[in-house]
Amino acid sequence: MRYLRALVLLIFLLAPAGCGQSIEERTEGTSAAADDTIVLAAYRPLAPGVHDSYYCSRILGVWEPLITADEETGAPAPCLAVSWEMLDDGRVWVFHLRQGVRFHDGTPFTAQAVADNIAWMGKGAPLSIFYSRSRKNYYPNLVRVEPLDELTVRMTFAKPNVNQLYNMMNFGSPIYAPSCLADDGSFAGTARGTGPFRIAENVQDRYVVLERNEDYYGEKARARRILIRTIPSPDVRFAALKAEEIMGVLDVSAMPPVLADELAQDERFAVSVSRSIMVRYLALNGTRPPFNDVRMRRAVSLLLDRRLLVDALYLGYAVPTTNLLSISSPFYKEFPAARDTAEAKRLAHEVLGDARQEIVYCVNGADPIAKGEAELIAYWLADIGLDVRIEALEAPMLTARMRRGDYDIARSQQGLPNGDPLYVFKGFFAPNGPRNKALSLGYDNPEVNALLAELDTAADEGKRWALFDRLQEIGVEEQPVVPLYFDENIVVYNAARLTGYRALRYGVSLAEVAWR
């Protein structure tokens, strides 16, 4: 175990810096720098801009949703909507909005602004590096949205929708100033929300500068100015922290566990950990042998020693699972992540007989953990007749290969944009689900299809819980994908210079961060 940890650390520290750039090359030319600016970093651009369907991530505190998630339970909690009533078995929802809120452009937040945002959400089909923005998914069977007065809005649906609060959590109900919404469903300039930070400068793929919203209705952000750089390479982020070019990291995959553990040995730095929304899994190409056979998918799942993967590669900063639904969901049901090599070999022999089969295992070449993990999994798979050829690809190539079904196994991940499990179940389990298609899963189960159809109209909350439980049971039994573990959100920061920095389920407590 100690050897595996040392090997993973060596891989990170010897890996070439992302895109061949030095720390200086990645940090020069940021005209927004100021003496009191706190500089942080993420692996991807957190404000990809006008053509992204959200413009920026929720974790920046620029836009706020109507409904958010309780940090402890994951259940729906008030944000811009402070209370609500469900009428007519969920066909009608009435939302009461927060008073005294203004957008960053100075205009008031009103019920009409909510109606404008939901109408805009249905325009065009802009893409996002975060989550798909779909009014059909977040507001299923919506008939109309009506402002009843300045701070009350009514939504009417064609069918009962008792789960609507879960649909609207976080990425399901972002609210922006109507002045920044373009007619084609994109943005007319910089996104302007209601949050504790406003965007002061955004240089595509390089950095975004946040300034404190002095007119924020709640407790104001402690930092006056935060600059967040885009640094894709984990080893460059590591080196930048050590050199104090940045003060902390944030977002998913903020810092690999082995590098976080290494930084924790330096008295300047602290590590903060929280339960995450992210599930890591193996996608199996179900459109061709051998993984079009459920027995082979189950064999792979039973063969894996998930606890060893978590301990060796994640230093225990993860939770083994066979369930695709995030542990952060209130609907999550726990199943044992059992290992049974004898049963795995029996099932595989039923499919392959005494023959062996070569399979292609694709990973993101920029992810050293995924590559090391693949080597270990390949070693195990040899015991059930699968000879693995690992291919490390750039992310766009990996996505294209999966969509056209030109692979056998691929490492991927799934988050939770809102609180409704249907986002995950329909995406992966429905025959025409977007993830089912994008990953070439080829999954089609009549019982699952019937359960999904029933959930579209089921008004009784207890019944919906039972249906969600059954979908999770089937997912564990048939493994359309093979879940590995739930991430923990690991962030590292310079504790000698910053205070208020703590990991949340998604991101960090950015509004609480300040210089010491």
Side-chain angles (χ1 to χ4, degrees):
M1 182 75 69
R2 185 173 298 171
Y3 168 77
L4 281 172
R5 294 185 184 189
L7 180 61
V8 173
L9 176 59
L10 186 64
I11 289 170
F12 273 108
L13 295 180
L14 295 182
C19 300
Q21 289 178 291
S22 66
I23 300 174
E24 290 78 10
E25 289 172 320
R26 285 195 172 275
T27 57
E28 68 180 0
T30 50
S31 61
D35 290 343
D36 63 346
T37 299
I38 295 174
V39 182
L40 309 175
Y43 86 94
R44 59 180 175 177
L46 293 183
V50 295
H51 298 298
D52 186 279
S53 57
Y54 292 96
Y55 189 97
C56 60
S57 174
R58 166 88 165 97
I59 66 179
L60 296 186
V62 172
W63 59 264
E64 296 175 304
L66 292 174
I67 309 294
T68 190
D70 182 272
E71 188 64 26
E72 295 298 321
T73 67
C79 190
L80 289 178
V82 292
S83 63
W84 44 80
E85 294 100 40
M86 184 184 78
L87 308 172
D88 194 16
D89 293 328
R91 290 181 180 84
V92 175
W93 285 85
V94 176
F95 295 91
H96 303 281
L97 308 180
R98 190 177 296 275
Q99 297 183 21
V101 178
R102 288 190 172 272
F103 291 107
H104 297 157
D105 65 359
T107 59
F109 164 66
T110 64
Q112 185 59 54
V114 171
D116 291 344
N117 270 264
I118 295 175
W120 169 80
M121 183 179 278
K123 296 178 180 179
L127 301 176
S128 175
I129 67 170
F130 307 113
Y131 297 101
S132 61
R133 189 194 76 202
S134 168
R135 189 174 66 180
K136 180 181 178 181
N137 290 338
Y138 295 145
Y139 299 86
N141 304 302
L142 179 66
V143 175
R144 58 184 172 274
V145 180
E146 305 167 280
L148 300 183
D149 57 39
E150 283 291 297
L151 294 174
T152 310
V153 63
R154 179 171 61 199
M155 301 182 192
T156 303
F157 299 84
K159 297 177 181 179
N161 195 352
V162 300
N163 229 40
Q164 185 54 30
L165 292 182
Y166 292 92
N167 289 334
M168 294 170 59
M169 288 162 58
N170 294 329
F171 284 86
S173 61
I175 301 296
Y176 305 90
S179 64
C180 71
L181 305 179
D183 290 339
D184 63 357
S186 63
F187 290 86
T190 303
R192 294 180 286 274
T194 58
F197 289 104
R198 57 188 300 157
I199 292 177
E201 184 181 1
N202 187 18
V203 178
Q204 189 67 37
D205 297 327
R206 294 192 58 201
Y207 65 88
V208 59
V209 179
L210 306 176
E211 286 186 345
R212 180 169 58 212
N213 176 12
E214 301 294 351
D215 296 322
Y216 189 58
Y217 60 87
E219 186 173 346
K220 292 179 176 54
R222 295 180 64 195
R224 188 186 72 82
R225 195 174 178 91
I226 294 177
L227 185 150
I228 301 175
R229 292 181 172 131
T230 302
I231 304 179
S233 172
D235 53 294
V236 174
R237 294 196 299 276
F238 173 88
L241 270 169
K242 294 280 283 186
E244 297 195 358
E245 296 282 355
I246 61 175
M247 292 292 108
V249 291
L250 70 167
D251 195 23
V252 295
S253 304
M255 187 61 66
V258 68
L259 296 185
D261 197 52
E262 180 71 12
L263 285 164
Q265 309 309 310
D266 187 323
E267 63 182 10
R268 293 175 296 167
F269 301 108
V271 178
S272 179
V273 180
S274 174
R275 175 177 289 186
S276 168
I277 62 172
M278 194 64 65
V279 183
R280 308 284 177 170
Y281 63 86
L282 298 180
L284 305 181
N285 186 346
T287 65
R288 68 187 189 189
F291 299 124
N292 58 349
D293 192 313
V294 65
R295 293 172 295 178
M296 187 57 79
R297 300 196 301 269
R298 293 191 65 218
V300 170
S301 184
L302 288 169
L303 188 70
L304 299 177
D305 188 340
R306 292 173 172 84
R307 173 50 61 187
L308 177 60
L309 287 173
V310 163
D311 288 344
L313 301 177
Y314 280 81
L315 308 188
Y317 288 118
V319 181
T321 186
T322 55
N323 188 351
L324 181 62
L325 184 62
S326 170
I327 196 171
S328 294
S329 169
F331 295 91
Y332 168 75
K333 182 176 181 179
E334 188 168 354
F335 297 87
R339 190 185 193 213
D340 189 335
T341 56
E343 178 65 4
K345 291 177 180 178
R346 185 190 71 80
L347 289 169
H349 191 266
E350 287 185 2
V351 178
L352 297 177
D354 294 327
R356 301 188 67 82
Q357 182 166 342
E358 182 179 84
I359 62 170
V360 177
Y361 186 140
C362 296
V363 298
N364 184 339
D367 186 345
I369 285 187
K371 289 190 286 187
E373 178 185 275
E375 295 283 355
L376 187 53
I377 291 174
Y379 172 77
W380 290 330
L381 292 179
D383 284 345
I384 58 172
L386 299 178
D387 299 318
V388 176
R389 174 162 53 89
I390 298 171
E391 294 188 11
L393 306 170
E394 292 185 355
M397 179 66 73
L398 177 59
T399 299
R401 286 277 293 271
M402 288 190 289
R403 180 169 290 279
R404 66 175 183 261
D406 185 17
Y407 82 104
D408 295 297
I409 297 179
R411 170 73 146 64
S412 194
Q413 58 278 328
Q414 176 62 46
L416 199 64
N418 62 4
D420 190 358
L422 274 177
Y423 180 91
V424 172
F425 294 137
K426 284 187 174 180
F428 284 85
F429 294 177
N432 293 313
R435 299 300 285 162
N436 194 337
K437 291 293 187 182
L439 301 172
S440 300
L441 301 181
Y443 186 71
D444 189 352
N445 179 317
E447 182 184 356
V448 167
N449 299 341
L451 292 170
L452 292 174
E454 191 173 356
L455 277 163
D456 277 338
T457 57
D460 180 75
E461 190 168 354
K463 177 66 172 176
R464 293 178 69 84
W465 279 84
L467 294 172
F468 286 136
D469 282 353
R470 180 56 186 149
L471 283 170
Q472 291 174 79
E473 290 167 4
I474 294 172
V476 171
E477 291 166 6
E478 299 200 342
Q479 299 283 272
V481 297
V482 176
L484 298 174
Y485 32 74
F486 303 116
D487 278 9
E488 289 185 333
N489 184 20
I490 309 167
V491 299
V492 186
Y493 65 100
N494 192 318
R497 302 186 64 184
L498 293 185
T499 184
Y501 207 104
R502 59 188 175 90
L504 305 177
R505 290 187 182 216
Y506 187 52
V508 300
S509 53
L510 205 60
E512 300 172 17
V513 174
W515 291 113
R516 283 196 178 278

